[in-house]
């Protein structure tokens, strides 16, 4: 009851004209930035921090939080329309959303992404309000061994994201792992796959890899096709979801909210793992007739991940506010902003600065509603992007992609890396190798290596720590079951050879 009263008090402060203005500016700027390739929430927040120096702490934090979840939605727009994710967590949306757009269903895809973002973000904020103490205890129960087991399971199950050849999916995972291992060894600082280049010593930026493997191959393919793909891309239909679309999206909304929120709680994982995990779950639980549509434009593959995407934002705020442990790179930057204003997130923040904290939380509820109101009427406008002739459209995509890549490091070296990886991605795509497993492998491998080494250091090199700790042992058992059971079922279904 105290939490509800505090939230209502925060709402009263958040609906003042000044704070409403900053919420609107935040979600608008976030949406625009999310659309631009490579310029995700962390880049936008980093660039705008200097503008908040002279602002009141409440107004500055409301603005930056609005940019955070606005950018998480904005990244889905170009993922759906032109298969160019604005940031990494939106990459999985391109799998089904782009196929829906190609078949004239860009409107429903954008609408379900907007609704899912609103549902996931709003429920996650309520979870932040009412479940923080319990969820913080759950998050702190995860040590290095548990994280390593969870990440290993996610890596092993990556190939289930795709239809088609399992072998090609595994090759794609190996490509992603090769990209993820580039840079200095995190423990011994030994260069790995850097080819003597100082620029590669810091590793490859994940946003750069996502742009190179999604935007560049798709742009090259359409530019090579010239006008042959125009009729298909111009066949836009309705700009809203049908009753059947709503029915199919309802359960993914619920599952995506839970998965995204829980993934956001785990420090270091954030919304990215939540969106990929949600897609894998939706594909597993789909009925056989719906499962066949995955990879060809299943609306469940947009609804679940997009809901998980924004729910992960609320989840990532829990350990940041309650424990001062960032749940993602963006919340790590927000942690710095809190400290810049002389505020220290942690257990005492809710007692020392309750008015500020609850106003920010309430502004997130308002911001999610504002995002929905702002973006649903614009679905028809976004869809018109598909009417641009493909040569002009994808030349523009390449231009924005290169601008985004340059903005990540302000180095022409990143443009060279983008082009090289993009050409590799194009070659893989043209030969039937799925690119999404490569993205997830590149994201997961550094985290897996880091936590694996930590667990072994803590246990003095004893590998049994992964099976003697209850949570990690349970996770490993579930992973083994998820890998072995489908193989056994597939073997039993094969007809006996006479």
């Amino acid at each position: 009851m105290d939490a509800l009263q505090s939230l209502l008090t925060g709402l009263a402060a958040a609906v003042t004209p000044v704070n409403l203005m900053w919420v609107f500016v935040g979600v608008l700027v976030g949406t625009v930035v999310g659309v631009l390739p490579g310029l995700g929430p962390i880049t936008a927040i980093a660039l705008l921090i200097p503008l908040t120096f002279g602002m009141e702490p409440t107004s500055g934090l409301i603005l930056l939080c609005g940019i955070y979840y606005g950018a998480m939605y904005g990244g889905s727009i170009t993922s759906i329309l032109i298969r160019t994710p604005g940031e990494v967590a939106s990459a999985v949306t391109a799998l089904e959303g782009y196929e829906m757009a190609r078949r004239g269903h860009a409107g429903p895809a954008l609408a379900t992404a907007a609704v899912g973002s609103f549902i996931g973000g709003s429920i996650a904020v309520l979870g932040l309000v009412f479940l923080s103490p319990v969820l913080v205890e759950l998050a702190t129960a995860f040590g290095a061994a548990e994280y390593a087991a969870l990440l290993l399971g996610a890596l092993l199950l990556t190939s289930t994201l795709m239809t088609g050849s399992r072998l090609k999916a595994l090759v794609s995972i190996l490509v992603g792992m090769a990209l993820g291992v580039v840079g200095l060894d995190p423990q011994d600082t030994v260069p790995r796959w850097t080819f003597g280049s100082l620029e590669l010593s810091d590793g490859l930026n994940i946003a750069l890899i996502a742009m190179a493997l999604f935007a560049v191959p798709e742009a090259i393919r359409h530019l090579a096709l010239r006008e042959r793909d125009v009729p298909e891309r111009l066949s836009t239909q309705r700009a809203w979801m049908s009753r059947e679309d709503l029915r199919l999206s309802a359960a993914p909304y619920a599952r995506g909210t839970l998965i995204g929120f829980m993934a956001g709680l785990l420090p270091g994982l954030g919304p990215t793992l939540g969106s990929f995990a949600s897609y894998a779950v939706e594909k597993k639980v789909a009925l056989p007739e719906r499962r066949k549509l995955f990879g060809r434009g299943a609306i469940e593959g947009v609804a679940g991940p997009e809901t998980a995407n924004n729910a992960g934002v609320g989840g990532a705020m829990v350990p940041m506010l309650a424990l001062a442990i960032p749940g993602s790179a963006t919340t790590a930057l927000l942690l710095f902003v809190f400290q810049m204003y002389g505020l220290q997130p942690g257990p005492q923040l809710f007692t020392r600065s309750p008015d500020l904290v609850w106003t920010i939380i309430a502004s997130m509820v308002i911001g999610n509603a504002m995002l929905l109101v702002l973006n649903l009427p614009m679905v028809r406008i976004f869809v018109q992007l598909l009417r641009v002739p493909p040569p002009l459209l994808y030349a523009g995509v390449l231009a924005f992609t290169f601008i985004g890549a340059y903005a990540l490091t302000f180095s022409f070296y990143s443009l060279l890396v983008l082009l090289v990886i993009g050409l590799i991605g194009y070659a893989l795509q043209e030969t039937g190798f799925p690119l999404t497993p490569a993205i997830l492998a590149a994201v997961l491998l550094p985290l897996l290596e880091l936590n694996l080494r930590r667990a072994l250091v803590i246990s003095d090199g004893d590998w049994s720590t992964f099976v003697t700790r209850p949570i990690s042992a349970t996770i490993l058992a579930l992973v083994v079951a998820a890998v072995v059971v489908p193989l056994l079922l597939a073997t039993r279904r094969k007809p006996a050879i006479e």
Side-chain angles (χ1 to χ4, degrees):
M1 196 65 186
D2 291 340
L4 180 60
Q5 183 61 44
S6 299
L7 179 62
L8 292 175
T9 303
L11 279 171
V15 296
T16 59
V18 173
N19 286 336
L20 280 177
M21 179 192 71
W22 289 120
V23 172
F24 176 77
V25 171
V27 297
L28 179 62
V29 171
T31 302
V32 172
V33 169
V35 168
L36 300 175
L39 301 181
I42 188 167
T43 306
I45 290 174
L47 292 174
L48 292 177
I49 282 177
L51 298 180
T52 64
F53 286 162
M55 297 173 61
E56 291 292 323
T58 303
S59 299
L61 288 166
I62 285 175
L63 171 66
L64 296 178
C65 288
I67 291 172
Y68 185 14
Y69 45 83
M72 299 304 285
Y73 169 72
S76 66
I77 297 172
T78 47
S79 286
I80 291 170
L81 296 180
I82 49 179
R83 202 174 181 239
T84 306
E87 42 85 35
V88 182
S90 298
V92 72
T93 306
L95 293 177
E96 304 301 328
Y98 177 68
E99 292 300 320
M100 289 182 67
R102 290 183 64 190
R103 286 161 175 74
H105 294 89
L110 289 169
T112 195
V115 173
S117 295
F118 168 72
I119 293 173
S122 299
I123 296 179
V125 172
L126 295 178
L128 170 64
V129 172
F130 296 106
L131 303 177
S132 291
V134 177
L135 293 173
V136 165
E137 290 184 13
L138 177 64
T140 53
F142 272 68
E146 286 75 19
Y147 279 127
L150 184 66
L151 291 163
L152 176 64
L155 193 58
L156 289 175
L157 296 176
T158 298
S159 60
T160 63
L161 289 173
M162 308 305 300
T163 55
S165 171
R166 187 66 58 87
L167 178 60
K168 288 187 174 182
L170 291 174
V171 171
S172 181
I173 292 172
L174 292 176
V175 171
M177 293 175 69
L179 296 175
V181 83
V182 172
L184 296 179
D185 183 291
Q187 183 171 330
D188 302 324
T189 66
V190 175
R192 302 184 302 192
W193 288 47
T194 61
F195 306 103
S197 169
L198 290 176
E199 287 84 354
L200 289 178
S201 298
D202 291 332
L204 296 174
N205 188 289
I206 297 300
L208 186 68
I209 296 174
M211 288 188 292
L213 291 181
F214 275 96
V216 175
E218 196 63 25
I220 293 175
R221 185 176 76 85
H222 280 278
L223 290 172
L225 287 173
R226 296 182 182 274
E227 297 296 324
R228 283 180 286 167
D229 204 26
V230 175
E232 180 185 46
R233 299 194 59 78
L234 290 180
S235 59
T236 55
Q237 298 170 0
R238 52 197 165 83
W240 179 241
M241 303 164 67
S242 66
R243 185 174 299 179
E244 178 67 7
D245 291 335
L246 289 168
R247 185 187 69 81
L248 291 171
S249 299
Y253 286 153
R255 288 188 289 263
T257 300
L258 179 62
I259 292 170
F261 188 62
M262 298 304 293
L265 282 176
L266 302 175
L269 301 183
T272 302
L273 182 61
S275 60
F276 277 94
S278 174
Y279 183 83
V281 167
E282 293 309 320
K283 187 176 177 184
K284 284 288 185 184
V285 303
L287 295 174
E289 61 271 17
R290 294 296 305 174
R291 193 175 303 159
K292 294 177 183 177
L293 295 177
F294 276 77
R296 293 184 291 167
I299 196 169
E300 301 96 315
V302 177
E306 275 303 306
T307 308
N309 191 349
N310 275 49
V313 173
M317 295 293 284
V318 173
M320 195 275 285
L321 289 174
L323 294 174
I325 299 174
S328 65
T330 308
T331 50
L333 199 55
L334 288 175
L335 177 63
F336 162 76
V337 176
F338 270 87
Q339 294 169 340
M340 181 185 75
Y341 282 122
L343 303 165
Q344 180 55 51
Q348 301 301 317
L349 182 64
F350 285 84
T351 55
R352 291 177 179 173
S353 307
D355 293 341
L356 180 142
V357 174
W358 288 107
T359 302
I360 293 171
I361 292 174
S363 76
M364 294 177 70
V365 178
I366 297 170
N368 277 293
M370 204 173 282
L371 260 179
L372 187 68
V373 173
L374 179 67
N375 285 292
L376 277 183
M378 297 182 69
V379 166
R380 290 184 182 275
I381 299 173
F382 293 144
V383 169
Q384 297 308 309
L385 184 63
L386 297 179
R387 298 188 178 276
V388 178
L392 294 178
L393 177 62
Y394 284 95
V397 168
L398 276 181
F400 275 112
T401 302
F402 275 83
I403 291 171
Y406 181 76
L408 289 173
T409 61
F410 296 101
S411 167
F412 285 102
Y413 197 84
S414 62
L415 301 183
L416 178 61
V417 172
L418 177 79
L419 185 59
V420 171
I421 298 177
L423 291 174
I424 293 172
Y426 176 71
L428 291 172
Q429 180 176 270
E430 291 301 297
T431 49
F433 288 88
L435 299 179
T436 303
I439 295 288
L440 186 55
V443 172
L444 294 180
L445 183 69
L447 292 171
L448 172 60
E449 180 185 12
L450 182 63
N451 284 284
L452 182 65
R453 289 188 171 191
R454 282 178 179 171
L456 292 175
V457 168
I458 293 170
S459 65
D460 290 327
D462 184 4
W463 287 82
S464 65
T465 186
F466 296 103
V467 294
T468 55
R469 295 172 65 94
I471 297 178
S472 63
T474 302
I475 294 173
L476 288 175
L478 291 173
V479 169
V480 171
V483 172
V484 173
V485 171
L487 293 177
L488 293 177
L489 292 175
T491 303
R492 289 185 61 184
R493 291 194 189 108
K494 288 183 178 179
I497 300 175
E498 296 294 340

